[in-house]
Amino acid sequence: MVYIVLADGFEEIEAIAPYDVLKRGGVQVKYAYIGAPVVTGSHGVRIEAECGIDAACDGEMIVIPGGMRGVNNLLASEKTVELVKKYYDAGKHVAAICAGPMVLTKAGVLSGKKAVCYPGLEDRMSGNMSQEENTVTDGRVTTSRAAGSATDFGLRLLSLLKGEAEAERVRAEIHYAE
């Protein structure tokens, strides 16, 4: 199970594109919420999450979408920060996109890792920030730059979970061109 953690103000495409790509690849995915189960994105899209953050402890991967207001809400949630650290300490994969790597920084899992984030937020991160790649995986940590890389991000997560062949199959299915 992959859990994508949502808080009010999340960036919609960064939460929806990876969810869709993972589902197309046969991965079980759930949205986990902090606050209320109906979560409103930064552009007014509302998603009814399947479970609260407390139920998201048994997955194989946790994903943090961006959206500055959403990320600030996640940063204020000690449960979210602790859950990210718990996943990482248990040898599981953690992933974040856009401003989301700020949560990984607060959880202490980005230190010493090669990573990317939304351009201009690099000074708020503790990793080795790349300026050249859109999506980066370093060990069990995957980060991605912004909304425009959300599909690449989802495909990278799928390749980590189901292999490159499955990611390529889904890439062809959605007619994704590089």
Side-chain angles (χ1 to χ4, degrees):
M1 178 69 64
V2 173
Y3 290 98
I4 299 174
V5 184
L6 300 180
D8 280 338
F10 70 92
E11 173 56 52
E12 289 92 341
I13 197 167
E14 296 169 3
I16 295 170
Y19 185 102
D20 180 72
V21 168
L22 291 168
K23 289 292 255 188
R24 288 171 188 260
V27 175
Q28 289 185 327
V29 186
K30 286 187 178 180
Y31 289 119
Y33 65 87
I34 64 165
V38 177
V39 189
T40 303
S42 60
H43 298 94
V45 174
R46 296 166 56 92
I47 292 179
E48 185 172 348
E50 291 94 342
C51 66
I53 190 79
D54 293 330
C57 59
D58 63 347
E60 57 188 307
M61 179 185 287
I62 191 164
V63 180
I64 307 296
M68 190 54 81
R69 191 165 57 88
V71 168
N72 284 333
N73 287 329
L74 293 175
L75 287 167
S77 165
E78 284 303 317
K79 285 184 179 182
T80 301
V81 175
E82 289 170 11
L83 189 60
V84 168
K85 184 167 177 28
K86 179 180 174 185
Y87 266 67
Y88 186 77
D89 288 348
K92 298 177 181 183
H93 205 86
V94 298
I97 183 170
C98 195
M102 291 170 60
V103 176
L104 304 187
T105 291
K106 187 170 181 182
V109 303
L110 203 57
S111 184
K113 297 289 184 188
K114 184 176 178 189
V116 294
C117 65
Y118 187 79
L121 293 180
E122 294 86 357
D123 62 337
R124 297 168 126 179
M125 308 297 168
S126 61
N128 175 14
M129 292 291 130
S130 170
Q131 299 297 316
E132 298 162 18
E133 300 172 81
N134 282 327
T135 303
V136 173
T137 299
D138 187 348
R140 292 176 282 113
V141 177
T142 297
T143 54
S144 196
R145 194 168 299 286
S149 62
T151 301
D152 283 336
F153 181 59
L155 288 165
R156 175 72 58 88
L157 301 181
L158 180 59
S159 73
L160 292 167
L161 295 168
K162 294 280 190 160
E164 190 59 36
E166 184 61 13
E168 287 302 318
R169 185 193 68 74
V170 170
R171 181 187 309 270
E173 176 185 303
I174 60 177
H175 305 288
Y176 184 72
E178 293 183 324

